[in-house]
């Protein structure tokens, strides 16, 4: 049963404690990466048999397989995928940057140009659940940014097939290069390349502890979006909130993973008790009841605050991945939110809107990293390059200043590289 506790400023250890850390898999992941770097496709096939129970002759999803998956997808789901993709594209198109150039009368020009990252790898989970929404959320911003090679990797089932919903989402997102490989071995393949799978410049997308650790270990050989931890939701709710709705929203994240975190912060003790009871009522009916139960019992909590303002202060300290503001005037409190991955405003905005349909990205910073990290966006698929142009006259005017600065750092060659060009 979810624990109820009153906020006490003198003892915040339990309030701000997160769930137990995941098991250390760094050694196992390091060995997998080493094997893939040394043996390429041979290692991938061996790991596919070991972890997925599938024997593969070819990793690539063929055009025929993609067409068949799309044809087998219910038309209703295809329509919903296309509607969601449209919303995601509309939102992310507004993020697209342009470069700039600052020109002065003396002829100097300084500026910044924007260049797409050419090759990106998208990891799509396919273990305990398949996530076609992740395909849309990763591929559409990459396409808008202008990446010219978008590579999807996702684990196959025992028959060597990819979940057709994932393939349908890839089709809708305009991705056709898809490989049947998952886990740390897929990350290694994207980072270093194999005979079949191309080396990319950046890897994005969520995954289990092995995937997260692999992304950490290959960082430097390639760029990554973030090290994603277990999913989180924090609901700030006042006494007018519907306990059934709040309980359902908490369970929507608890069903992701046994390590997921579901937290309610409220100024109403009555609501706290009702939500606690409602969670127990709703839990048994869930398809992933066992997972949700472990999450709620291990990492769930209800915190009673003195006010909604204090509830938001608690939320800022926890910096949740998802934050719901279940209050009458949510925009009144939005500026007070300093640390959160994505904010859902009002009583009619369940977090699931963001997972699937509204348009903002669902790949978000977790385990408190919203203090300094941002959601996945078009910015994750671009590079910014600075440029500088000076005429000889413009350089002459500042050469002595640059040389003086360089000499203060003891770098005389730097100094000479400017004075050697200037008028004596």
């Amino acid at each position: 049963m979810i624990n109820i506790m009153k906020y006490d400023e003198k003892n915040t250890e339990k309030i701000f404690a997160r769930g137990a850390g995941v098991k250390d898999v760094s050694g196992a992941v390091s060995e997998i990466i080493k094997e893939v770097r040394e043996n390429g496709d041979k290692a991938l096939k061996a790991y596919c048999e070991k972890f997925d129970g599938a024997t593969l002759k070819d990793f690539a999803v063929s055009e025929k397989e993609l067409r068949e998956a799309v044809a087998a997808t219910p038309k209703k789901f295809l329509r919903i995928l296309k509607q969601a993709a449209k919303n995601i594209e509309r939102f992310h198109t507004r993020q697209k940057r342009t470069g700039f150039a600052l020109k002065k009368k003396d002829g100097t020009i300084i500026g910044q140009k924007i260049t797409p990252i050419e090759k990106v790898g998208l990891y799509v989970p396919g273990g305990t659940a398949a996530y076609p929404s992740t395909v849309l959320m990763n591929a559409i911003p990459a396409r808008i940014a202008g990446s010219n090679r978008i590579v999807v990797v996702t684990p196959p089932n025992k028959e060597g097939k990819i979940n057709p919903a994932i393939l349908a989402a890839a089709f809708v997102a305009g991705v056709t290069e898809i490989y049947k490989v998952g886990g740390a071995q897929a990350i290694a393949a994207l980072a270093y390349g194999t005979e079949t799978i191309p080396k990319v410049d950046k890897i994005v997308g969520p995954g289990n502890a092995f995937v997260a650790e692999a992304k950490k270990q290959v960082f430097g050989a390639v760029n990554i979006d973030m090290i994603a931890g277990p999913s989180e939701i924090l609901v700030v709710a006042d006494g007018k909130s519907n306990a059934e709705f709040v309980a359902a929203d908490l369970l929507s994240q608890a069903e992701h993973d046994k390590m997921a975190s579901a937290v309610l912060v409220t100024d109403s003790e009555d609501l706290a008790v009702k939500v606690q009871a409602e969670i127990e009522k709703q839990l048994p009916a869930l398809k992933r009841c066992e997972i949700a139960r472990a999450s709620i019992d291990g990492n769930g909590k209800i915190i009673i605050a003195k006010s909604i303002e204090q509830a938001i202060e608690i939320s800022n300290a926890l910096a949740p991945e998802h934050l719901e503001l279940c209050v009458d005037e949510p925009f009144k409190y939005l500026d007070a939110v300093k640390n959160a991955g994505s904010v859902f405003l009002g009583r009619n905005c369940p977090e699931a809107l963001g997972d699937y349909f509204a348009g903002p990205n669902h790949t978000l910073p977790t385990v408190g990293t919203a203090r300094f990290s941002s959601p996945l966006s078009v910015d994750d698929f671009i590079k910014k390059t600075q440029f500088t142009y000076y005429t000889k006259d413009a350089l002459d005017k500042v050469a002595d200043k640059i040389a003086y600065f360089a000499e203060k750092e003891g770098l005389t060659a730097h100094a000479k590289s400017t004075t050697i060009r200037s008028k004596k």
Side-chain angles (χ1 to χ4, degrees), residues 38 71 173 316 341 387 417:
E38 292 178 356
N316 282 331
F387 59 85
S417 71

Side-chain angles (χ1 to χ4, degrees), residues 48 51 179 205 217 292 319 323 341 358 362 392:
C48 191
F51 297 129
Y179 296 97
Q217 291 191 24
L323 169 62
H362 80 190
K392 186 176 187 305

Side-chain angles (χ1 to χ4, degrees), residues 83-164:
Q83 288 175 316
K86 186 177 180 180
N87 292 341
I88 295 164
E89 183 156 2
R90 178 170 170 260
F91 178 84
H92 288 81
T93 297
R94 294 297 297 270
Q95 297 174 339
K96 192 167 184 180
R97 290 174 180 258
T98 56
F100 62 86
L102 304 175
K103 301 177 182 180
K104 294 174 70 175
K105 290 181 180 179
D106 64 1
T108 62
I109 304 171
I110 55 175
Q112 179 176 280
K113 75 185 190 79
I114 304 297
T115 308
I117 295 175
E118 291 185 14
K119 295 177 286 186
V120 295
L122 316 182
Y123 188 89
V124 179
T128 58
Y131 297 109
S133 56
T134 296
V135 180
L136 301 182
M137 293 290 181
N138 286 273
I140 292 172
R143 177 165 51 77
I144 291 170
S147 298
N148 58 21
R149 190 168 189 181
I150 301 172
V151 180
V152 169
V153 291
T154 189
N157 61 19
K158 290 181 180 180
E159 287 72 46
K161 301 288 186 182
I162 301 298
N163 187 297

Side-chain angles (χ1 to χ4, degrees), residues 59-79:
F59 295 111
V61 172
S62 67
E63 186 180 343
K64 181 180 179 223
E65 285 178 284
L66 188 59
R67 284 200 313 268
E68 287 175 348
V70 173
T73 301
K75 290 183 179 179
K76 180 179 179 180
F77 185 52
L78 268 179
R79 285 196 302 271

Side-chain angles (χ1 to χ4, degrees), residues 170 190 239:
L190 290 173

